[in-house]
Amino acid sequence: MSQASAARSRVRDAAPLFAALGDETRLRLLFRLSSGGPGSITHLSADSPVSRQAITKHLQVLSEAGLVKSSRRGREHVWDLEPKRLADAHQYLDRISQQWDDALDRLKKLVEE
Amino acid sequence: MSQASAARSRVRDAAPLFAALGDETRLRLLFRLSSGGPGSITHLSADSPVSRQAITKHLQVLSEAGLVKSSRRGREHVWDLEPKRLADAHQYLDRISQQWDDALDRLKKLVEE
DNA sequence: TGAATGTGCAATCCGTTGGTTGCATGATAA
DNA sequence: TTATCATGCAACCAACGGATTGCACATTCA
Protein backbone atom coordinates (compact mmCIF):
# COMPACT_ATOMS: atom_id res chain seq x y z
CA MET A 1 0.00 0.00 0.00
CA SER A 2 1.29 3.44 -0.91
CA GLN A 3 1.84 6.05 1.73
CA ALA A 4 -0.92 8.20 0.27
CA SER A 5 -3.56 5.48 0.29
CA ALA A 6 -2.54 4.46 3.82
CA ALA A 7 -3.16 8.05 4.88
CA ARG A 8 -6.55 8.00 3.17
CA SER A 9 -7.69 4.87 4.94
CA ARG A 10 -6.44 6.25 8.24
CA VAL A 11 -8.54 9.31 7.69
CA ARG A 12 -11.57 7.22 6.76
CA ASP A 13 -11.18 5.26 9.97
CA ALA A 14 -10.44 8.20 12.22
CA ALA A 15 -13.19 10.57 11.11
CA PRO A 16 -16.16 8.52 12.40
CA LEU A 17 -14.23 7.81 15.56
CA PHE A 18 -13.74 11.48 16.38
CA ALA A 19 -17.26 12.26 15.19
CA ALA A 20 -18.56 9.79 17.77
CA LEU A 21 -16.55 11.61 20.43
CA GLY A 22 -17.85 14.98 19.25
CA ASP A 23 -21.10 15.08 21.17
CA GLU A 24 -21.65 16.17 24.77
CA THR A 25 -24.13 13.44 25.64
CA ARG A 26 -21.85 10.75 24.27
CA LEU A 27 -18.80 12.13 26.05
CA ARG A 28 -20.76 12.14 29.29
CA LEU A 29 -21.69 8.54 28.64
CA LEU A 30 -18.05 7.64 28.17
CA PHE A 31 -17.01 9.46 31.34
CA ARG A 32 -19.86 7.77 33.17
CA LEU A 33 -18.80 4.34 31.92
CA SER A 34 -15.13 4.96 32.64
CA SER A 35 -15.75 6.09 36.20
CA GLY A 36 -18.86 4.19 37.20
CA GLY A 37 -18.31 0.96 35.32
CA PRO A 38 -20.67 -0.88 32.98
CA GLY A 39 -24.40 -0.28 33.07
CA SER A 40 -27.73 -1.02 31.46
CA ILE A 41 -29.56 1.45 29.24
CA THR A 42 -32.13 2.31 31.88
CA HIS A 43 -29.37 2.76 34.41
CA LEU A 44 -27.37 5.00 32.13
CA SER A 45 -30.33 7.13 31.09
CA ALA A 46 -31.30 7.67 34.72
CA ASP A 47 -28.26 9.93 35.13
CA SER A 48 -29.08 11.81 31.97
CA PRO A 49 -31.42 14.68 31.11
CA VAL A 50 -32.44 13.10 27.80
CA SER A 51 -34.77 10.21 27.18
CA ARG A 52 -33.93 6.53 27.25
CA GLN A 53 -34.39 6.32 23.49
CA ALA A 54 -31.89 9.09 22.96
CA ILE A 55 -29.36 7.21 25.08
CA THR A 56 -30.01 4.06 23.09
CA LYS A 57 -29.21 5.91 19.87
CA HIS A 58 -26.05 7.40 21.31
CA LEU A 59 -24.87 4.01 22.51
CA GLN A 60 -25.51 2.75 19.00
CA VAL A 61 -23.28 5.46 17.55
CA LEU A 62 -20.54 4.74 20.08
CA SER A 63 -20.86 1.06 19.31
CA GLU A 64 -20.48 1.58 15.55
CA ALA A 65 -17.37 3.61 16.26
CA GLY A 66 -16.10 0.66 18.32
CA LEU A 67 -15.90 2.63 21.54
CA VAL A 68 -18.36 0.54 23.53
CA LYS A 69 -19.76 -2.96 23.36
CA SER A 70 -22.83 -4.58 24.84
CA SER A 71 -23.64 -7.96 26.30
CA ARG A 72 -26.91 -9.39 27.48
CA ARG A 73 -27.44 -10.22 31.10
CA GLY A 74 -30.93 -11.54 31.63
CA ARG A 75 -33.32 -9.05 30.14
CA GLU A 76 -30.78 -6.25 30.36
CA HIS A 77 -28.29 -5.00 27.83
CA VAL A 78 -25.14 -4.07 29.67
CA TRP A 79 -22.81 -1.61 27.96
CA ASP A 80 -19.13 -1.25 28.62
CA LEU A 81 -16.10 0.61 27.30
CA GLU A 82 -13.81 -0.74 24.62
CA PRO A 83 -10.53 0.89 25.67
CA LYS A 84 -8.53 -0.27 22.66
CA ARG A 85 -10.46 2.12 20.51
CA LEU A 86 -9.52 5.04 22.74
CA ALA A 87 -5.93 4.08 22.13
CA ASP A 88 -6.60 4.29 18.39
CA ALA A 89 -7.80 7.85 18.76
CA HIS A 90 -4.62 8.59 20.67
CA GLN A 91 -2.55 7.23 17.83
CA TYR A 92 -4.21 9.42 15.22
CA LEU A 93 -3.50 12.53 17.23
CA ASP A 94 0.06 11.35 17.73
CA ARG A 95 0.47 10.90 14.02
CA ILE A 96 -0.60 14.46 13.31
CA SER A 97 1.54 16.04 15.99
CA GLN A 98 4.49 13.87 15.01
CA GLN A 99 4.21 14.99 11.40
CA TRP A 100 3.99 18.51 12.64
CA ASP A 101 7.14 18.20 14.75
CA ASP A 102 8.98 16.64 11.82
CA ALA A 103 7.93 19.49 9.57
CA LEU A 104 9.16 22.02 12.12
CA ASP A 105 12.48 20.20 12.37
CA ARG A 106 12.94 20.25 8.63
CA LEU A 107 12.14 23.94 8.54
CA LYS A 108 14.58 24.61 11.38
CA LYS A 109 17.41 22.82 9.61
CA LEU A 110 16.61 24.65 6.41
CA VAL A 111 16.90 28.00 8.15
CA GLU A 112 20.08 27.05 10.00
CA GLU A 113 21.94 26.04 6.86
CA MET B 1 -15.13 24.30 41.58
CA SER B 2 -16.71 20.92 42.33
CA GLN B 3 -15.50 17.80 40.62
CA ALA B 4 -18.83 17.36 38.87
CA SER B 5 -18.97 20.86 37.38
CA ALA B 6 -15.33 20.58 36.32
CA ALA B 7 -16.25 17.44 34.43
CA ARG B 8 -19.18 19.22 32.81
CA SER B 9 -17.07 22.11 31.57
CA ARG B 10 -14.44 19.67 30.30
CA VAL B 11 -17.13 17.94 28.31
CA ARG B 12 -18.43 21.21 26.95
CA ASP B 13 -14.95 22.12 25.81
CA ALA B 14 -14.03 18.73 24.42
CA ALA B 15 -17.15 17.99 22.39
CA PRO B 16 -16.69 20.75 19.79
CA LEU B 17 -13.01 19.91 19.60
CA PHE B 18 -13.65 16.27 18.71
CA ALA B 19 -16.54 17.27 16.47
CA ALA B 20 -14.12 19.42 14.49
CA LEU B 21 -11.84 16.42 14.12
CA GLY B 22 -14.73 14.21 13.08
CA ASP B 23 -14.81 15.00 9.38
CA GLU B 24 -12.70 13.49 6.62
CA THR B 25 -12.10 16.71 4.75
CA ARG B 26 -10.99 18.48 7.90
CA LEU B 27 -8.73 15.64 8.97
CA ARG B 28 -7.12 15.73 5.53
CA LEU B 29 -6.61 19.45 5.94
CA LEU B 30 -4.87 18.87 9.26
CA PHE B 31 -2.65 16.15 7.81
CA ARG B 32 -1.91 18.41 4.88
CA LEU B 33 -0.98 21.31 7.17
CA SER B 34 1.08 19.15 9.48
CA SER B 35 3.11 17.60 6.67
CA GLY B 36 3.15 20.33 4.04
CA GLY B 37 3.27 23.39 6.25
CA PRO B 38 1.06 26.49 6.16
CA GLY B 39 -0.88 27.43 3.06
CA SER B 40 -3.43 29.80 1.57
CA ILE B 41 -7.02 28.80 0.92
CA THR B 42 -6.55 28.49 -2.82
CA HIS B 43 -3.44 26.44 -2.25
CA LEU B 44 -5.17 24.12 0.19
CA SER B 45 -8.24 23.65 -1.96
CA ALA B 46 -6.11 22.79 -4.97
CA ASP B 47 -5.24 19.47 -3.30
CA SER B 48 -8.85 18.79 -2.49
CA PRO B 49 -11.81 17.38 -4.43
CA VAL B 50 -14.24 19.89 -2.92
CA SER B 51 -14.70 23.54 -3.78
CA ARG B 52 -12.75 26.46 -2.37
CA GLN B 53 -15.81 27.64 -0.43
CA ALA B 54 -16.13 24.27 1.24
CA ILE B 55 -12.50 24.48 2.32
CA THR B 56 -13.09 27.97 3.67
CA LYS B 57 -15.96 26.71 5.81
CA HIS B 58 -13.91 23.79 7.10
CA LEU B 59 -11.05 26.08 8.03
CA GLN B 60 -13.57 28.22 9.86
CA VAL B 61 -14.74 25.22 11.88
CA LEU B 62 -11.17 24.21 12.67
CA SER B 63 -10.44 27.77 13.67
CA GLU B 64 -13.40 27.96 16.05
CA ALA B 65 -12.19 24.74 17.63
CA GLY B 66 -8.78 26.40 18.05
CA LEU B 67 -6.98 23.88 15.88
CA VAL B 68 -5.75 26.33 13.24
CA LYS B 69 -5.14 30.04 12.98
CA SER B 70 -4.81 32.41 10.04
CA SER B 71 -2.72 35.43 9.24
CA ARG B 72 -2.82 37.77 6.28
CA ARG B 73 0.07 37.99 3.91
CA GLY B 74 -0.69 40.41 1.13
CA ARG B 75 -4.00 39.44 -0.39
CA GLU B 76 -3.70 35.91 0.90
CA HIS B 77 -4.95 34.32 4.08
CA VAL B 78 -2.37 31.85 5.30
CA TRP B 79 -3.57 29.09 7.59
CA ASP B 80 -1.46 27.16 10.01
CA LEU B 81 -1.77 24.57 12.75
CA GLU B 82 -2.24 25.38 16.43
CA PRO B 83 -0.53 22.36 17.96
CA LYS B 84 -1.43 23.20 21.57
CA ARG B 85 -5.00 22.34 20.82
CA LEU B 86 -4.03 18.88 19.65
CA ALA B 87 -2.42 18.39 23.02
CA ASP B 88 -5.74 19.30 24.64
CA ALA B 89 -7.48 16.55 22.72
CA HIS B 90 -4.80 14.17 23.93
CA GLN B 91 -5.50 15.16 27.50
CA TYR B 92 -9.20 14.45 27.25
CA LEU B 93 -8.56 10.96 25.95
CA ASP B 94 -6.01 10.46 28.70
CA ARG B 95 -8.54 11.50 31.29
CA ILE B 96 -11.05 8.93 30.09
CA SER B 97 -8.61 6.06 29.85
CA GLN B 98 -7.07 7.00 33.19
CA GLN B 99 -10.47 6.90 34.86
CA TRP B 100 -11.06 3.59 33.22
CA ASP B 101 -7.80 2.14 34.50
CA ASP B 102 -8.57 3.43 37.98
CA ALA B 103 -11.97 1.80 37.89
CA LEU B 104 -10.43 -1.48 36.81
CA ASP B 105 -7.91 -1.25 39.65
CA ARG B 106 -10.63 -0.65 42.18
CA LEU B 107 -12.59 -3.58 40.83
CA LYS B 108 -9.52 -5.78 40.93
CA LYS B 109 -8.80 -4.95 44.57
CA LEU B 110 -12.43 -5.54 45.44
CA VAL B 111 -12.31 -9.00 43.93
CA GLU B 112 -9.00 -9.84 45.53
CA GLU B 113 -10.12 -8.99 49.05
C1' DT C 1 -5.56 51.77 -15.57
C1' DG C 2 -7.08 47.34 -16.45
C1' DA C 3 -6.86 42.38 -16.08
C1' DA C 4 -6.03 38.68 -13.16
C1' DT C 5 -5.94 36.63 -8.69
C1' DG C 6 -7.43 35.55 -3.77
C1' DT C 7 -11.14 35.88 -0.81
C1' DG C 8 -15.66 36.90 1.31
C1' DC C 9 -20.75 36.90 1.43
C1' DA C 10 -25.36 35.06 0.56
C1' DA C 11 -28.77 31.98 -0.99
C1' DT C 12 -29.94 27.45 -1.62
C1' DC C 13 -30.14 22.29 -1.40
C1' DC C 14 -30.45 17.91 0.67
C1' DG C 15 -28.99 14.40 3.81
C1' DT C 16 -27.93 13.60 8.64
C1' DT C 17 -28.60 14.00 13.48
C1' DG C 18 -30.33 14.57 18.06
C1' DG C 19 -34.41 14.43 20.13
C1' DT C 20 -39.25 13.14 21.17
C1' DT C 21 -43.57 10.12 21.67
C1' DG C 22 -46.32 5.93 21.27
C1' DC C 23 -46.68 1.26 20.96
C1' DA C 24 -44.99 -3.62 20.66
C1' DT C 25 -42.22 -7.33 22.44
C1' DG C 26 -39.70 -10.24 25.59
C1' DA C 27 -38.06 -11.72 29.97
C1' DT C 28 -38.76 -11.93 35.04
C1' DA C 29 -40.74 -12.15 39.56
C1' DA C 30 -44.69 -12.61 42.56
C1' DT D 1 -50.24 -16.53 34.78
C1' DT D 2 -50.29 -11.95 35.14
C1' DA D 3 -48.13 -7.72 36.24
C1' DT D 4 -43.92 -5.42 35.74
C1' DC D 5 -39.68 -3.99 34.01
C1' DA D 6 -36.01 -3.41 30.21
C1' DT D 7 -35.77 -2.85 25.45
C1' DG D 8 -36.74 -2.47 20.61
C1' DC D 9 -39.10 -0.44 16.63
C1' DA D 10 -41.21 3.26 13.97
C1' DA D 11 -42.73 7.68 12.79
C1' DC D 12 -41.94 12.22 13.11
C1' DC D 13 -39.75 16.89 13.66
C1' DA D 14 -36.59 20.82 13.95
C1' DA D 15 -32.01 22.02 13.45
C1' DC D 16 -27.52 21.47 11.71
C1' DG D 17 -23.87 20.41 8.38
C1' DG D 18 -21.43 19.80 4.16
C1' DA D 19 -21.51 21.26 -0.29
C1' DT D 20 -22.55 24.09 -4.37
C1' DT D 21 -23.20 28.37 -7.26
C1' DG D 22 -23.14 33.22 -8.35
C1' DC D 23 -21.60 37.59 -7.46
C1' DA D 24 -19.05 41.31 -5.10
C1' DC D 25 -14.77 43.20 -3.27
C1' DA D 26 -9.94 43.90 -2.62
C1' DT D 27 -5.20 43.48 -3.92
C1' DT D 28 -1.50 42.97 -7.06
C1' DC D 29 1.05 42.96 -11.38
C1' DA D 30 1.75 44.16 -16.21
Side-chain angles (χ1 to χ4, degrees), chain A residues 14-23 26 61, chain B residues 18-19 21-23:
Chain A
L17 179 53
F18 286 123
L21 292 170
D23 177 272
R26 286 196 288 269
V61 173
Chain B
F18 286 123
L21 292 170
D23 178 271

Side-chain angles (χ1 to χ4, degrees), chain B residues 72-86:
Chain B
R72 288 202 78 142
R73 199 176 54 193
R75 62 182 153 181
E76 291 179 329
H77 271 187
V78 180
W79 291 83
D80 204 353
L81 277 188
E82 196 82 275
K84 273 188 192 167
R85 202 63 181 142
L86 282 179

Side-chain angles (χ1 to χ4, degrees), chain A residues 23-33 40-59 62, chain B residues 8 11:
Chain A
D23 177 272
E24 285 196 20
T25 307
R26 286 196 288 269
L27 274 187
R28 278 197 212 97
L29 272 174
L30 290 180
F31 272 109
R32 160 67 181 75
L33 287 175
S40 74
I41 297 179
T42 317
H43 216 76
L44 293 172
S45 61
D47 302 350
S48 166
V50 300
S51 71
R52 172 181 60 86
Q53 301 295 352
I55 296 294
T56 300
K57 286 191 185 178
H58 283 302
L59 285 170
L62 289 172
Chain B
R8 269 197 300 278
V11 161

Side-chain angles (χ1 to χ4, degrees), chain B residues 23 25-26 50-51 53-54 57-58 72 74-75:
Chain B
D23 178 271
T25 307
R26 286 197 288 271
V50 300
S51 71
Q53 300 296 351
K57 285 191 185 177
H58 282 303
R72 288 202 78 142
R75 62 182 153 181

Side-chain angles (χ1 to χ4, degrees), chain B residues 34-93:
Chain B
S34 72
S35 63
S40 73
I41 297 179
T42 316
H43 216 76
L44 293 172
S45 61
D47 302 350
S48 166
V50 300
S51 71
R52 172 180 62 84
Q53 300 296 351
I55 296 294
T56 299
K57 285 191 185 177
H58 282 303
L59 286 169
Q60 194 59 38
V61 173
L62 289 172
S63 164
E64 275 161 19
L67 285 163
V68 298
K69 65 166 186 243
S70 79
S71 57
R72 288 202 78 142
R73 199 176 54 193
R75 62 182 153 181
E76 291 179 329
H77 271 187
V78 180
W79 291 83
D80 204 353
L81 277 188
E82 196 82 275
K84 273 188 192 167
R85 202 63 181 142
L86 282 179
D88 286 347
H90 262 285
Q91 271 200 327
Y92 291 119
L93 294 177

Side-chain angles (χ1 to χ4, degrees), chain A residues 3-5 9 12 15 17 20 23 26 28 30 35 44 47-48 53 63 65 69 75 87 91-93 95 99 105-106:
Chain A
Q3 230 188 17
S5 72
S9 69
R12 262 196 284 273
L17 179 53
D23 177 272
R26 286 196 288 269
R28 278 197 212 97
L30 290 180
S35 62
L44 293 172
D47 302 350
S48 166
Q53 301 295 352
S63 164
K69 64 163 186 249
R75 62 181 155 184
Q91 270 200 327
Y92 291 120
L93 294 177
R95 187 115 38 186
Q99 274 194 21
D105 280 352
R106 282 198 299 276

Side-chain angles (χ1 to χ4, degrees), chain A residues 64-92:
Chain A
E64 275 161 19
L67 285 163
V68 298
K69 64 163 186 249
S70 80
S71 57
R72 288 201 80 140
R73 198 175 55 193
R75 62 181 155 184
E76 291 179 331
H77 271 189
V78 180
W79 291 84
D80 202 356
L81 277 188
E82 195 81 274
K84 273 188 194 166
R85 202 62 181 142
L86 282 179
D88 286 348
H90 263 284
Q91 270 200 327
Y92 291 120

